[in-house]
Amino acid sequence: NIPGATWLIQLTAMRLPWARLAACPNDPAGLLTAAALPVPQAEAARRLLIVWHSRTGMAEQMAQALHRGAKQAALEMEASSGLVIDILRANEVQVPQLLCADGFLFCAPENLATMSGEMKEFFDRSYYGALGRLTARP
């Protein structure tokens, strides 16, 4: 069990419906929109996005532990069918995946008193496409 996982699952259940927009293929920052993403089958389902980066494998192991902890917390709350957990490496995540998520966990090593370069690149790449569109999400 991961301390705080139950708190995280409870927070993700508080999200209101959000527009689900997909970025154009030639628009990695998601500044343009093309089409609506498919809505999960159960509209009541909440989506947790775990974004990770690791060179040595340690942060990846931590992200996997966060994934297991979130699943376990959902089971304990009898809400496992209402939670979808996506776990993606930072270089795979695009703005539409951020917009579809109800909550986030970010996992990366600290390098020279800052986050790893790949995680920083993820935030830089996603910034303008997500600006003002993720307000109040945990």
Side-chain angles (χ1 to χ4, degrees), residues 108-111 113-121 123:
E110 172 269 330
N111 295 326
T114 189
M115 70 185 85
S116 65
E118 188 173 310
M119 187 63 84
K120 171 79 167 74
E121 192 276 333
F123 284 114

Side-chain angles (χ1 to χ4, degrees), residues 1 5 7-9 33 41 69-70 87 95 99 108-109 121:
N1 289 344
W7 171 80
L8 171 73
I9 302 303
T33 56
Q41 289 180 347
I87 181 167
V95 171
L99 297 178
E121 192 276 333

Side-chain angles (χ1 to χ4, degrees), residues 49-100:
L49 176 61
I50 301 172
V51 180
W52 64 273
H53 170 251
S54 182
R55 286 201 195 304
T56 65
M58 297 301 290
E60 181 181 7
Q61 289 178 21
M62 190 177 353
Q64 294 293 339
L66 290 168
H67 182 259
R68 289 189 305 272
K71 284 174 47 177
Q72 183 61 37
L75 285 172
E76 290 172 7
M77 293 172 55
E78 298 178 0
S80 60
S81 64
L83 178 66
V84 176
I85 304 171
D86 298 317
I87 181 167
L88 297 169
R89 188 176 174 109
N91 66 359
E92 299 172 344
V93 180
Q94 297 296 321
V95 171
Q97 291 157 319
L98 290 171
L99 297 178
C100 287

Side-chain angles (χ1 to χ4, degrees), residues 4-13 48 50 66 70 77 103-105 138:
T6 301
W7 171 80
L8 171 73
I9 302 303
Q10 289 171 342
L11 280 178
T12 61
L48 173 65
I50 301 172
L66 290 168
M77 293 172 55
F104 310 95
L105 289 172

